[in-house]
Amino acid sequence: MAAGLLEDDDDQWDFIEKHPWAKHMVITIAILFFVASVSYLLWVDQPDFAPREYWVKVPGVEGLERSDDAVAAPTFNITLRVNTEGISRAVCGRGDRVDVAYEGVPLAHGDLPDFCVPPATVGSIPAVASSEGLGLPDELYERMERQRRRNERVKLAVHVRMHEITGSRGSPLLLSCTAILHGRPKGPFLCEVFGLPRDDFTML
Ligand SMILES: *[C@@H]1O[C@H](CO)[C@@H](O)[C@H](O)[C@H]1NC(C)=O
């Protein structure tokens, strides 16, 4: 038995000695395998980066009338856009809430759903913010109307909260965003980002 095995081994070495290209091929394959393994380990080990660029659009509103005339509560359809360019894996967020304010007065709030955005794209996450009362308080309504009549920009402050997002290492994320309801330029304006780990910033 043992002799038989040895003979087989000899045959293999004979083969390699007679065909030098076979040796080169074995070495090349070994090197390729090594490089692939190291690359894979580095890739698996790379820290997650959270996206840096977020902005908010308000594609639909209703109930922004004077409260006496209003038949609906202020309601804002909101789209949060998340730019995952330069990030090599899907980015997932655990949603918390959105808050909409005008001239420092809170107008509406709603839930931000959980979401995932594929790598290297700009994802859209829809949310709806609403309030209980009908229409706007008179003073706010007057102010908004004044801005519209003068063709000034009507700006909304939209705060978006997440419990966490890929790359935030479990920290909650707060986005402070501006959306333009009326007037130009319409944006988009990038949100200010709060809550990401500091060393995440310095590594970029
Ligand atoms: C908000 O979006 C919903 C669909 O998600 C739509 O039915 C509704 O009409 C929209 N409201 C406004 C004010 O655009």
Side-chain angles (χ1 to χ4, degrees), residues 39-55:
S39 315
Y40 177 74
L41 284 178
L42 286 178
W43 180 75
V44 162
D45 253 9
Q46 108 188 333
D48 292 335
F49 291 114
R52 306 271 140 216
E53 288 189 1
Y54 306 84
W55 61 97

Side-chain angles (χ1 to χ4, degrees), residues 60-141:
V61 292
E62 63 178 6
L64 297 187
E65 294 89 29
R66 198 192 296 273
S67 52
D68 289 344
D69 306 335
V71 293
T75 305
F76 302 84
N77 279 1
I78 292 167
T79 308
L80 171 66
R81 311 223 59 198
V82 180
N83 185 357
T84 63
E85 258 164 51
I87 298 175
S88 57
R89 58 179 69 187
V91 168
C92 294
R94 207 148 60 76
D96 186 356
R97 59 181 281 155
V98 292
D99 288 275
V100 180
Y102 170 64
E103 299 283 343
V105 181
L107 284 188
H109 61 89
D111 292 333
L112 180 75
D114 295 348
F115 63 87
C116 283
V117 177
T121 54
V122 177
S124 296
I125 298 106
V128 179
S130 57
S131 71
E132 282 83 41
L134 293 184
L136 290 177
D138 283 352
E139 198 207 334
L140 273 191
Y141 174 82

Side-chain angles (χ1 to χ4, degrees), residues 152-168:
E152 288 171 10
R153 278 195 298 176
V154 179
K155 284 198 287 185
L156 296 175
V158 181
H159 284 182
V160 179
R161 283 165 219 275
M162 303 171 203
H163 292 297
E164 62 178 323
I165 189 169
T166 301
S168 78

